Amino acid sequence: MKAILFGLCLFALASANGLVETKLATLGGNIGSNCDPSLTTYSVTAFLVTPWPPTKNVYLNLNMTGTVSQAVTFQEMDIFVTFNGVNFYQETVKESGTYKAGQTATVIFKVFLPGIAPNGKYGVITKIKDTAGAYLNCWQVAFSLS
């Protein structure tokens, strides 16, 4: 399990302006959308976030499942977070797993939303990298805290 703890830096961004320009699709329990259709090595088929909608003082459990289109080994996942359209947090977490073309791969991780998180629009973008450092996918989720 991966855990991302948004620290006090969230508080400093409370007055930031802007809009998250990602679209939120909620279809059959799936949350989010593909943010780079040119990345097809790992095609996300399900992305579940619980609890939904997110609230403060909870861990969001994120479960990303997809199919790989060619033999690949996962090495890490880059996570990018925006607040009211401003990039403010990035973390890289180790991943593992070697897959053959057509296999299903599932990545499970957590994001903590502290009580001090300011109200506003948030975006979380996840990108899996292989051992050569190439991105395999891009998935985005947008939500608001109030």
Side-chain angles (χ1 to χ4, degrees), residues 40-56:
T40 59
T41 302
Y42 178 52
S43 297
V44 175
T45 55
F47 195 96
L48 304 174
V49 180
T50 54
W52 189 263
T55 58
K56 296 178 184 182

Side-chain angles (χ1 to χ4, degrees), residues 30 42-48 63-67 104-108:
N30 292 319
Y42 178 52
S43 297
V44 175
T45 55
F47 195 96
L48 304 174
N63 186 317
M64 178 169 50
T65 301
T67 304
T104 299
T106 299
V107 178
I108 299 170

Side-chain angles (χ1 to χ4, degrees), residues 55-114:
T55 58
K56 296 178 184 182
N57 270 338
V58 299
Y59 275 96
L60 294 181
N61 295 299
L62 299 102
N63 186 317
M64 178 169 50
T65 301
T67 304
V68 297
S69 63
Q70 64 190 44
V72 67
T73 299
F74 289 4
Q75 180 171 323
E76 60 192 28
M77 177 173 56
D78 287 339
I79 302 167
F80 307 89
V81 180
T82 62
F83 172 69
N84 286 339
V86 176
N87 293 326
F88 82 106
Y89 183 79
Q90 176 183 349
E91 182 172 351
T92 299
V93 293
K94 294 302 252 175
E95 286 299 330
S96 62
T98 299
Y99 305 94
K100 296 177 184 174
Q103 280 191 302
T104 299
T106 299
V107 178
I108 299 170
F109 57 105
K110 291 183 177 193
V111 175
F112 183 68
L113 299 174

Side-chain angles (χ1 to χ4, degrees), residues 34-43 127-128 134-138:
N34 184 342
C35 47
D36 188 344
S38 72
L39 299 174
T40 59
T41 302
Y42 178 52
S43 297
K127 294 181 176 185
I128 301 289
Y135 283 123
L136 307 177
N137 77 319
C138 182

